[in-house]
Each structure stands twice: as C-alpha cells, then as structure tokens.
Amino acid sequence: MGWWTRSSLGLSPWSVLNEGLVRHTSLSFGTVSAVVGVLVLLGWIPLRQRPRFGTVANVLIVAYCSDLGLWLLPAQFGLPARAGLLVGGILLNGLSVAVYVGARCGPGPRDGLMTGASAATGRSLRFIRTLLELVVLAVGRLLGGSVGIGTVLYALAVGPAAQFFLPWFAYRGTAGREDGAGAGGGTGPGAGPRRMPVLSPAPPAPGP
C-alpha cells in the first residue's frame, strides 16, 4: 500500500471511501477503516464465508506493513519514479492477493467479499474485484474522497492482476473439496496448480 501512496497519484478506492466517510463523521481515518472492515465482514454472512487465521493476519499485517512502507520510502519523487511506484504497487498488491487467497488460510475482509461473491455468482475474480473497486470508488467520490489517475488505474487493474497470478499460488489440497472445478488436474507430482472454481484455464506450472 505504501508504494502507490508514495506515488501521490491517487489513493486506493477503499481509502477514497474511508476519506469520504471521515468528512461526514467525527471519527479518525483509522477508526473509519476498522468500522468499514467490520461491515465488510458482515457482508460475508449471506455469502457463507467464514473468517480464518489468514483473515485476522491480513488485517494486522497489512496495517503494520503499510506504516513500514511509508517509513522506508521517501515522500518526494519525480513523476517517472512515482509512475513506477504506482504500477509496481498495483502488481505487487495483485500478487499478494493471489498468494494469501491461494494459500486457503482465510482471505482478508475485502478479498473474502470478492471470493464469496465470485463463488456465489460464478463470475471470475477479475470481474467481481473490478466491480467492487468501481462501486467503492464511486461511493467514496460522492462522499468527497480524493480521486486521482492512480485510483482509477488501481480499480481497473488489481482484479486482473490477482487473477493472473492466482493459478501459480493456488494450494493443491488432497481432498479437493474447495476447488471441485479443478478436477482433471490431479494432485500428483506432474500436476499443475489446482484452480479456483472461477478462474480461466491455468497456465502450465512453472519449473520442471
């Protein structure tokens, strides 16, 4: 998160929403972020999602890693460097989503909303994540949150990036209960990574 924040080209859509809510309440940005996280978790209930260890870990680690990233990265960059930070931040965020969602230890609050909605509707993670980001962005903007070119780019790109990386990191369980659509892929040494039910056909597994 620190990467695209330091790019100064726009907040993420969820941060735009938080900023907009701050303008209409007496709560701090951090408190609003926590409240929004709780409300998102409530949205898991009709989707039959359950918080797990990874859900809690995501909330804690992302918060501290964001502060660490902002502390390590200087505040002033030229435009080329800022553009590089923005693109790199989006790609790394898509990669991180793929890694911890693929591990099947529990997604973060917002990513659980994405996977639950994807499973419920049969639509791809790419489509659902992009739709969620655009809706959140629109609501945040109506509430007065700040929007930049980086905000729009993030909303459109993070979903495709996460879906692109996910086949390489999807955990191959022995029972296969969570990803029945991956049938036929097998679990032997030569099998490729098992797919999430809504992913496009996975590319060949890297390595021999």
Side-chain angles (χ1 to χ4, degrees):
M1 183 177 293
W3 284 48
W4 74 72
T5 300
R6 281 292 186 247
S7 74
S8 301
L9 294 173
L11 300 172
S12 69
W14 288 94
S15 294
V16 173
L17 174 63
N18 293 340
E19 185 181 67
L21 289 172
V22 166
R23 293 177 180 270
H24 296 273
T25 67
S26 59
L27 303 176
S28 68
F29 189 93
T31 302
V32 167
S33 179
V35 171
V36 169
V38 172
L39 293 177
V40 170
L41 284 175
L42 292 177
W44 285 26
I45 297 174
L47 298 174
R48 299 182 179 179
Q49 291 281 90
R50 295 181 180 179
R52 300 175 65 184
F53 167 77
T55 307
V56 178
N58 173 270
V59 173
L60 297 177
I61 292 174
V62 167
Y64 286 108
C65 284
S66 297
D67 288 341
L68 178 62
L70 291 173
W71 179 72
L72 290 174
L73 293 171
Q76 299 297 326
F77 286 101
L79 182 58
R82 289 161 56 199
L85 285 172
L86 174 64
V87 174
I90 292 173
L91 291 176
L92 284 176
N93 191 246
L95 175 62
S96 67
V97 170
V99 170
Y100 69 74
V101 169
R104 302 186 189 279
C105 292
R110 294 156 184 82
D111 298 298
L113 190 63
M114 171 189 70
T115 56
S118 177
T121 62
R123 304 302 296 265
S124 69
L125 296 180
R126 175 181 58 241
F127 175 84
I128 294 296
R129 183 56 178 259
T130 302
L131 180 61
L132 286 174
E133 296 290 336
L134 290 175
V135 169
V136 168
L137 171 58
V139 174
R141 185 69 185 95
L142 289 174
L143 291 173
S146 303
V147 175
I149 183 63
T151 310
V152 178
L153 182 60
Y154 180 92
L156 296 175
V158 69
Q163 181 160 326
F164 174 80
F165 287 119
L166 188 54
W168 278 278
F169 296 98
Y171 171 69
R172 289 180 290 173
T174 56
R177 289 189 300 269
E178 294 182 343
D179 54 352
T187 58
R194 296 182 69 85
R195 297 186 291 117
M196 301 292 283
V198 291
L199 284 176
S200 302

